[in-house]
Amino acid sequence: MALTKQEWLALEAKAHQLRLDMLETTHMAGSGHIGGGSSVMDILTILYHKFMNLKVEDPNWEDRDRCILSKGHAGIGYASVLVDFGWNDREQLKTFNLTGSKMGIHLDSNKVIGVDASTGSLGHGQSIAVGTALAARLQGKSYFTYCILGDGELNEGSNWEAFMSTAQFKLNNLITIVDRNGAMIDGMTEDIMALEPLVDKFEAFGFNTLRIDGHSFPELANAIEVAMATKDKPTCIIADTVKAQGFGGKAGDYRWHYGAMDNDGYEQAKKDLEAYYLGRKAVAEKEGI
């Protein structure tokens, strides 16, 4: 196992805290992309608190690992991560997506410290990631680029052009992660534009392809370690997740791609998140080594 029990429990606690921060931000903003923000949160948590080579004191360190959040609408979750990491003032969350705020609903790399690329016009993230991975190779740098895509944006042809480039140049320093929550703004992906068999498609495009539970820290850790060690081809991790994971009856409901909560809904969401965390913590306590 790539994680010790202590690490696993620490990641569970951090992901819980970040989901609570995202909930608070959504409540203050009046609405937000809470569904995709929660489905991707475990992925962001393990990258920033286990794998990515970063310097808190120097967010622009040229040898840092890069993270391209292609599904930029999950910025309400990403903002919590970047604030918690110490790169942005927590007060900024109080103005998220409000007029004059530095933190718009899609995070701007010119305004939010730690954002490696402005995204949200879906279908562009992988192309940017190909560029940063090629730049590392040309400059003799050892940093990794992690590109996190939503499954809904796999509708975009530009992604598949970028996947061809990723494989053509054998960019083993680019780790592609698909947040496969099965839902998009107007329905379930398999109803709107079917993606399966997704593993077969990525393999046909030349990727080492792994399919895992995207809410399991041990499975995420093992997959990322395999991806980092694979030298002859790039790796795609298809992380099966749940839209609005942890939010009780909202989990798995595509209608919570974007939403707002009244005070009662907010209080219930806090209770749901606490119950969800305690369940996951119990599993880590029992199965961790």
Side-chain angles (χ1 to χ4, degrees):
M1 181 183 290
L3 290 180
T4 65
K5 181 177 181 177
Q6 183 178 9
E7 286 177 315
W8 188 355
L9 286 167
L11 288 169
E12 294 290 0
K14 178 59 66 175
H16 176 54
Q17 174 212 318
L18 292 170
R19 282 191 173 92
L20 286 172
D21 288 347
M22 180 182 65
L23 171 63
E24 179 75 11
T25 303
T26 302
H27 191 53
M28 291 186 292
S31 60
H33 289 94
I34 201 165
S38 189
S39 67
V40 79
M41 189 60 81
D42 297 316
I43 298 168
L44 289 171
T45 299
I46 201 167
L47 288 181
Y48 278 85
H49 293 280
K50 168 69 175 174
F51 285 103
M52 289 181 69
N53 188 21
L54 303 166
K55 290 184 177 180
V56 175
E57 71 278 9
D58 185 5
N60 295 316
W61 178 41
E62 65 177 18
D63 291 326
R64 72 189 185 282
D65 288 341
R66 272 67 169 171
C67 179
I68 311 296
L69 183 64
S70 187
K71 50 174 291 178
H73 56 281
I76 200 162
Y78 196 24
S80 299
V81 173
L82 297 176
V83 163
D84 177 75
F85 210 70
W87 283 342
N88 298 272
D89 187 348
R90 182 165 290 274
E91 289 295 304
Q92 292 181 35
L93 294 179
K94 294 180 180 179
T95 63
F96 185 88
N97 200 36
L98 301 182
T99 301
S101 176
K102 289 184 177 180
M103 289 190 170
I105 203 159
H106 294 168
L107 300 185
D108 186 335
S109 62
N110 293 314
K111 297 178 180 179
V112 183
I113 299 170
V115 177
D116 286 310
S118 302
T119 57
S121 181
L122 297 175
H124 295 168
Q126 187 77 13
S127 295
I128 298 171
V130 167
T132 61
L134 283 171
R137 176 180 292 175
L138 291 171
Q139 295 173 16
K141 301 288 187 179
S142 60
Y143 68 77
F144 280 88
T145 294
Y146 297 88
C147 185
I148 305 172
L149 302 112
D151 50 4
E153 72 173 300
L154 296 187
N155 291 359
E156 303 290 346
S158 54
N159 270 323
W160 295 95
E161 293 178 37
F163 296 149
M164 285 193 290
S165 296
T166 304
Q168 173 66 27
F169 297 117
K170 293 181 170 54
L171 295 176
N172 60 302
N173 61 344
L174 166 53
I175 298 175
T176 301
I177 305 174
V178 177
D179 179 23
R180 182 70 167 116
N181 62 36
M184 51 196 296
I185 190 169
D186 46 4
M188 305 305 289
T189 59
E190 297 311 285
D191 296 328
I192 304 301
M193 183 67 72
L195 296 172
E196 298 298 343
L198 198 52
V199 169
D200 294 346
K201 289 175 181 176
F202 273 101
E203 288 181 344
F205 270 66
F207 282 75
N208 171 42
T209 307
L210 308 170
R211 189 158 202 162
I212 64 164
D213 178 351
H215 296 305
S216 165
F217 283 122
E219 289 193 32
L220 281 164
N222 287 333
I224 293 168
E225 286 192 349
V226 168
M228 294 174 71
T230 301
K231 301 302 182 185
D232 58 333
K233 60 175 65 175
T235 296
C236 175
I237 300 170
I238 300 172
D240 288 319
T241 61
V242 178
K243 199 93 163 179
Q245 180 71 313
F247 287 90
K250 300 174 182 63
D253 187 343
Y254 77 87
R255 293 172 295 183
W256 278 94
H257 176 88
Y258 185 91
M261 298 180 192
D262 59 17
N263 289 334
D264 288 343
Y266 168 68
E267 293 299 328
Q268 182 59 51
K270 286 196 292 186
K271 294 176 183 177
D272 290 339
L273 285 176
E274 181 68 17
Y276 177 63
Y277 166 61
L278 291 176
R280 288 183 53 154
K281 180 183 177 183
V283 172
E285 290 279 12
K286 181 180 180 180
E287 299 181 7
I289 299 174

